[in-house]
Amino acid sequence: MSRILLVEDDTMIASGILYALETEGYETNHATGIKDAGSLIQHYNFDLAIIDMQLPDGTGFDVSEIFKNNATSVIFLTVVDDENTIVRAFDEGAQDYIVKPFRIRELLARVRRILSANIKNGEKDNIIYMGHAAIHTDEAKVYVNDKSIELTALEYRLLLIFASNKGILLTRQQILDKIWDTDGNFVEDNTLTVYVKRLREKLGEAIHIETVRGMGYRVD
């Protein structure tokens, strides 16, 4: 399920967009400004961001700058139909630019097109994106902001398990049933704790691995 961030300070416009997106089955988060958006970006992996260009604490470009080193697509919303601003938006990597007022159905169509293209490109390139990390499955390598992160075979397999279950709570037993060491031996519960700790240390804030006490782990 795709997760979308809406950055819009007009509560009436935001409520209509959020309702339409959630009705379509998307997971959504809402921010009213740059600070709120930055906090959400630290905790969630967004497939798409819909960003109002005029915000109380800056511009939409300030938010898109935060996304520059990950795979999040961007749609800008604006009341200003200015050629220079539109050209700058596309030059900086935006996938679309919609001038207010707009029809919700039109916005949804553009959202579907962008997310569909993202899925196709990901399959073609064999790259899985999680947070600020990119897993290149053809190479069995992991990159954070274009820097290669060295993982052991078991750490890599553990990361792939999380990548295949983004947003899903996995019990420790479910993970143990899926993972094994290089000799084909089952991994013990204490060993799993150690490897999760190592993943966190190596990946830093690129991926948020949440511990759900008494149950297991979840990666958004």
Side-chain angles (χ1 to χ4, degrees), residues 111-129:
V111 167
R112 285 193 294 269
R113 174 181 58 80
I114 291 171
L115 292 176
S116 176
N118 288 350
I119 291 171
K120 289 178 181 177
N121 289 337
E123 290 175 349
K124 180 180 179 181
D125 298 335
N126 293 314
I127 301 173
I128 302 171
Y129 296 101

Side-chain angles (χ1 to χ4, degrees), residues 145-163:
N145 297 332
D146 296 325
K147 178 183 177 182
S148 179
I149 306 298
E150 295 297 325
L151 300 180
T152 66
L154 196 144
E155 289 166 352
Y156 178 74
R157 282 198 293 272
L158 178 57
L159 185 60
L160 284 180
I161 291 171
F162 286 137

Side-chain angles (χ1 to χ4, degrees), residues 63-105:
V63 180
S64 65
E65 181 69 23
I66 305 173
F67 285 117
K68 222 163 193 179
N69 291 321
N70 66 28
T72 303
S73 299
V74 170
I75 297 176
F76 281 121
L77 305 178
T78 183
V79 295
V80 181
D81 188 6
D82 174 71
E83 181 180 356
N84 290 332
T85 305
I86 294 173
V87 169
R88 178 185 172 187
F90 286 117
D91 283 345
E92 296 198 6
Q95 276 67 41
D96 216 331
Y97 190 101
I98 302 177
V99 178
K100 298 177 180 177
F102 55 85
R103 298 179 180 88
I104 289 291
R105 288 182 62 188

